[in-house]
Amino acid sequence: MAEINVYQRYFEACGTFNGRERHAANIILKSNSSEGEIIYEILVSFFPHDDADDFCISYDACFIKELYRAKGRRSKKREAILLEEIRPQADEIAAEHDATIDWQKPLCEARMG
């Protein structure tokens, strides 16, 4: 199975998980392909980010949602459509867990794969 991070970026965020405040979120759109099937998922992981150098990801507050599954392979056109859905999908995941993502405060440049 080939797994690729199509998009990844860190943002300031707010939430409490397992009694620990989280101040940032890692947002990833990833693709998985094998045996003629493609799957796109969004991953939202909230982590402490206690200071500017703290990018230690904790996976106890990591949530994954499948966005697309079908026969086929990676498509730039499909990925462009899914990239437009990242914010609303991530906001939905955050809201389900009483957290928020501050899209106006990115912590790094976007990484595209």
Side-chain angles (χ1 to χ4, degrees):
M1 180 179 289
E3 182 174 298
I4 297 170
N5 287 352
V6 176
Y7 169 90
Q8 180 176 15
R9 195 166 190 186
Y10 298 88
F11 292 88
E12 285 190 17
C14 184
T16 302
F17 300 89
N18 297 318
R20 179 79 158 89
E21 286 187 23
R22 311 304 166 101
H23 304 287
N26 182 17
I27 312 296
I28 299 173
L29 174 64
K30 66 179 185 172
S31 69
N32 291 300
S33 62
S34 70
E35 300 178 11
E37 183 176 61
I38 184 76
I39 302 166
Y40 287 95
E41 298 173 315
I42 186 171
L43 179 143
V44 179
S45 181
F46 294 91
F47 62 101
H49 195 62
D50 291 328
D51 61 55
D53 296 325
D54 178 14
F55 284 87
C56 183
I57 304 297
S58 51
Y59 291 97
D60 65 334
C62 181
F63 308 98
I64 299 172
K65 181 177 180 180
E66 187 175 293
L67 301 178
Y68 180 87
R69 178 188 294 255
K71 293 287 182 192
R73 57 185 174 187
R74 282 186 73 188
S75 160
K76 295 292 182 185
K77 184 177 179 181
R78 183 179 308 114
E79 288 175 4
I81 293 167
L82 292 171
L83 283 169
E84 291 178 11
E85 288 297 310
I86 282 182
R87 288 184 182 194
Q89 294 291 339
D91 283 338
E92 183 178 305
I93 291 169
E96 290 171 3
H97 300 282
D98 296 320
T100 58
I101 300 164
D102 190 341
W103 299 104
Q104 302 305 313
K105 295 182 180 174
L107 299 173
C108 66
E109 294 298 318
R111 298 179 194 147
M112 306 297 284

